[in-house]
Amino acid sequence: MPYAIETRQLTKIYRSPWGRRRLRAVDQLDLRVQQGTVFGFLGPNGAGKTTTIMMLLGNTRPTSGSARLLGLPNGSLEARRRLGFLPEKFQFHEFLTAEEFLELHGRLAGLSPALRRQRADAALAMVGLEDRRKQRLRQFSKGMQQRIGLAQALLADPELVILDEPTSALDPLGRRQVRDIILRLKQLGRTVFLNSHLLSEIELTCDEVAIINQGRLVRQGSIEDLTAPTARVTVQLDRLSPALLEVMGRFGAVQQRNHTEVEVQMWPGAETPDLVAALYQVGARLQAVIPHRESLEDYFVRVVRGDEEVANGAKQ
Amino acid sequence: MSAIWTLARLTVKEALRRRTFVAAAIITLLFLFIWWQTEHSPRYGAIAGEREAAFMQLGLGMMRFFTALIGIAMAAGAISGEIERGTHYVILARPLTRVQVLLGKWLGILIPCLLLYLFWSAIVIATARVGASGQLGAFATAAAISFLYPLVFTTLTLCYSTFAPPMLCNALAMVSLVIGWSEGGMRGWGQALLGNGEGNHTVLFMADVAGHYAPIARIARASATALGLERYPMISMIMTGNFGEGLHATPWDVWWPILHVALALIAAILIFNARDV
């Protein structure tokens, strides 16, 4: 089965009109997104996420490299027939009603009249706007506009849905609704490519994420792999003693929280079971050993900062 | 074709929303004022039918000019403006070619322009008593030729819109109009400069370039010829003053604007296809 999205050395360089200044927005990006997964695309502002999405859609031409969607050349009519897209920066034709708006997109997607009606009803119900079908888009709140945008993205029952910041204007209930829609799409075997700053949302919905910074791919992997239990362990004992602190100090940097609890930042290669065994050997009475999983947000900040330090070091 | 028509209808709806027809109503009042002026002007009337011919000529001039202005106003934001606003992103993600998007816009702008033009034509026909004077056929031909004016400038502005933001696009369209209007002045100036009948070749060459870039004079000349205005010395003199040449139109005066529209449309397609969105 072909990848839902596959890029090879995808690069975009913007040049100023006289070619004196160059901005490498996307730099040799190699992405592979499996079909049927929810894929998070992360990066700080200006990292090149939207440029990448525009290249995937065929709206922006890559300077070099290539991209394929569902095994088809990006930007081809066949590829676009099989994808749905909600842009980050959007303004719809606000003089249309919700129903007219979906009718327009149904026509542009080449759906038959019967299918247009059926899909429009289903899409409006999915985003919870069925009772607003006769209302003009100019009367919609920002959140409602985002939901009708999502409805148009899902209208043609696409195999691949590209969502650029789909929850940025939504309240917690709206975000929950979008999250449920994404999970439902996944159950239906659709692929969702999600660009969002809300890392908690990504963490709850995505199977895999890619982090880009300054146009380059920094990390790609499943959330479980990327945020695997880290080398930080909280140890709770009946009583602490200098001998126990010395034992734990052999495994990592020890930070005493109180007279019964310490946090050990394990050295590279040190293992938690070995620490537990060593503590037993010296007669410690353990109450609890809690390994900590890094949140996606902490991981993201650490990776991006680390990447920037490396990049700055290389420049110097 | 269905996608082009869908986009054309969307553009027409947008034109209605922008209250194009309010502008049209104001211009209609202007028509009636000019008709009243012509009706009472002592300038015309020496030859039978001259007053009606003068009003038809003035009416056609106004019709083509104001239709062009409305076309320019709609075309200026059609591509770049929609990209700036973000309305194009969801359209371009659909299985459409950019040629379809551009042609949809083009048709959608021209349809309200044509409807307005027909409405104003009806007013001119009624007020200038065109039917009674047996000039209906000539007027219809002249009106069809005159529609090339808004067609040329709307297409040219749409072409500008594929690369320039709306404000710049409007400015470029206005510059194009000025270039077109300057042809007659340059031609007259070039011929008068040396006073030996041969004229100043550089200025005459510039007049030629202006006439090809924005063929306003050609269209006016062809339209006047279709109306048979050569018969009326006063109108003929005014027209010659404006366009630097007599009223002897050639077929090229009609074919060049048609070719101009085709070339502008091809350029618009090439630029729109090549640009990043």
Side-chain angles (χ1 to χ4, degrees):
Chain A
M1 195 188 333
Y3 288 106
I5 296 174
E6 185 181 16
T7 69
R8 285 177 194 272
Q9 300 287 296
L10 195 65
T11 302
K12 180 67 186 178
I13 300 170
Y14 288 108
R15 291 183 174 85
S16 62
W18 311 113
R20 294 175 71 180
R21 279 190 305 160
R22 287 153 52 104
L23 171 71
R24 196 173 277 267
V26 178
D27 192 4
Q28 301 186 341
L29 186 68
D30 284 316
L31 268 186
R32 273 165 195 83
V33 179
Q34 299 280 358
Q35 287 197 38
T37 59
V38 181
F39 190 92
F41 195 46
L42 313 177
N45 288 335
K49 301 186 298 293
T50 298
T51 304
T52 303
I53 288 177
M54 286 297 143
M55 283 195 283
L56 292 178
L57 293 166
N59 287 346
T60 298
R61 277 163 214 280
T63 308
S64 61
S66 64
R68 294 180 82 81
L69 305 182
L70 303 160
L72 301 159
N74 65 318
S76 66
L77 293 187
E78 188 49 38
R80 274 190 271 161
R81 195 163 284 127
R82 291 163 64 182
L83 74 82
F85 173 54
L86 173 65
E88 178 189 11
K89 182 189 163 194
F90 62 87
Q91 189 188 330
F92 302 127
H93 298 93
E94 55 183 25
F95 52 91
L96 299 175
T97 64
E99 204 171 50
E100 288 169 341
F101 176 68
L102 294 181
E103 167 72 14
L104 166 77
H105 280 277
R107 279 175 184 272
L108 294 178
L111 303 180
S112 68
L115 206 53
R116 283 203 293 270
R117 272 192 298 277
Q118 183 194 328
R119 293 268 174 83
D121 289 344
L124 283 170
M126 193 180 257
V127 298
L129 289 174
E130 61 267 64
D131 54 339
R132 308 277 185 159
R133 59 173 62 234
K134 300 284 181 199
Q135 201 169 327
R136 293 203 187 280
L137 300 188
R138 82 164 71 93
Q139 295 163 329
F140 275 23
S141 67
K142 186 84 179 121
M144 283 158 72
Q145 289 205 5
Q146 206 147 26
R147 277 150 66 191
I148 195 72
L150 189 58
Q152 71 76 30
L154 303 177
L155 188 68
D157 195 18
E159 291 165 56
L160 168 64
V161 186
I162 297 178
L163 306 175
D164 197 355
E165 297 290 351
T167 53
S168 58
L170 298 178
D171 57 21
L173 284 175
R175 280 211 286 273
R176 177 72 178 263
Q177 194 177 18
V178 171
R179 195 194 311 153
D180 289 345
I181 291 169
I182 291 171
L183 293 173
R184 205 167 133 199
L185 288 170
K186 187 186 165 189
Q187 280 173 355
L188 293 169
R190 307 290 184 258
T191 310
V192 181
F193 186 81
L194 182 62
N195 171 23
S196 174
H197 279 117
L198 292 169
L199 298 180
S200 53
E201 295 293 323
I202 295 265
E203 207 164 5
L204 287 168
T205 48
C206 293
D207 303 303
E208 202 173 334
V209 295
I211 299 175
I212 68 164
N213 191 29
Q214 296 173 350
R216 284 175 293 110
L217 182 68
V218 182
R219 294 279 193 286
Q220 180 176 348
S222 70
I223 290 181
E224 282 73 26
D225 288 346
L226 295 179
T227 61
T230 57
R232 192 163 61 87
V233 181
T234 299
V235 181
Q236 290 173 353
L237 302 119
D238 268 3
R239 192 168 62 84
L240 272 173
S241 69
L244 291 177
L245 288 173
E246 194 265 319
V247 168
M248 286 187 279
R250 276 187 257 143
F251 289 86
V254 180
Q255 198 180 6
Q256 191 169 343
R257 294 262 181 238
N258 52 46
H259 63 281
T260 61
E261 187 177 300
V262 291
E263 201 167 280
V264 184
Q265 186 71 45
M266 306 286 276
W267 305 130
E271 298 282 345
T272 308
D274 295 338
L275 168 69
V276 173
L279 286 171
Y280 267 120
Q281 270 182 5
V282 293
R285 286 171 63 82
L286 283 166
Q287 293 293 334
V289 177
I290 307 160
H292 292 282
R293 181 179 283 272
E294 197 175 22
S295 73
L296 184 60
E297 186 172 316
D298 290 340
Y299 180 78
F300 174 79
V301 170
R302 185 163 62 82
V303 164
V304 170
R305 279 196 185 145
D307 180 62
E308 278 167 3
E309 278 165 18
V310 169
N312 291 338
K315 273 182 200 165
Q316 283 163 10
Chain B
M1 194 61 205
S2 154
I4 294 175
W5 184 237
T6 302
L7 288 170
R9 285 199 327 183
L10 179 70
T11 311
V12 172
K13 276 188 179 179
E14 204 161 8
L16 293 175
R17 185 186 67 95
R18 290 166 80 180
R19 298 188 171 85
T20 310
F21 291 100
V22 176
I26 295 167
I27 295 162
T28 306
L29 290 175
L30 251 173
F31 268 111
L32 297 173
F33 174 72
I34 293 212
W35 165 70
W36 182 82
Q37 278 265 308
T38 316
E39 196 74 358
H40 297 91
S41 169
R43 202 173 185 185
Y44 307 109
I47 302 172
E50 189 182 31
R51 197 178 296 281
E52 286 74 17
F55 181 67
M56 275 194 278
Q57 175 58 18
L58 276 171
L60 280 174
M62 282 182 64
M63 278 161 56
R64 57 185 174 234
F65 174 69
F66 285 114
T67 311
L69 279 192
I70 287 171
I72 286 170
M74 287 198 285
I79 304 291
S80 288
E82 294 223 354
I83 292 169
E84 269 181 19
R85 285 198 299 276
T87 43
H88 253 358
Y89 292 126
V90 283
I91 302 277
L92 291 175
R94 295 286 166 208
L96 307 168
T97 62
R98 291 195 186 180
V99 177
Q100 285 174 305
V101 174
L102 195 94
L103 290 179
K105 281 276 161 202
W106 186 64
L107 273 181
I109 294 165
L110 286 177
I111 289 168
C113 285
L114 184 63
L115 291 176
L116 278 175
Y117 193 80
L118 291 173
F119 172 64
W120 289 331
S121 297
I123 290 182
V124 173
I125 288 168
T127 48
R129 296 179 284 273
V130 175
S133 62
Q135 288 258 60
L136 199 56
F139 179 80
T141 310
I145 292 168
S146 283
F147 191 69
L148 287 171
Y149 187 123
L151 195 58
V152 162
F153 282 96
T154 302
T155 313
L156 199 57
T157 310
L158 192 65
C159 177
Y160 296 148
S161 171
T162 56
F163 62 88
M167 285 295 281
L168 178 59
C169 197
N170 271 315
L172 288 172
M174 290 305 136
V175 168
S176 305
L177 277 172
V178 170
I179 289 173
W181 291 328
S182 68
E183 184 197 347
M186 278 198 279
R187 204 172 290 288
W189 180 42
Q191 277 161 356
L193 257 182
L194 295 179
N196 61 4
E198 283 189 20
N200 182 313
H201 294 294
T202 309
V203 179
L204 289 176
F205 173 73
M206 283 165 62
D208 270 344
V209 171
H212 279 89
Y213 187 69
I216 292 175
R218 287 177 188 282
I219 295 167
R221 204 159 44 230
S223 159
T225 305
L227 277 178
L229 295 183
E230 286 165 287
R231 280 173 290 166
Y232 308 109
M234 175 60 78
I235 302 171
S236 192
M237 193 185 76
I238 294 168
M239 295 285 297
T240 306
N242 283 346
F243 303 119
E245 280 183 356
L247 297 183
H248 311 293
T250 63
W252 187 238
D253 286 336
V254 175
W255 284 111
W256 171 246
I258 293 171
L259 188 60
H260 191 285
V261 169
L263 290 175
L265 210 50
I266 290 168
I269 288 167
L270 291 176
I271 298 168
F272 190 33
N273 264 328
R275 74 164 284 181
D276 285 345
V277 171

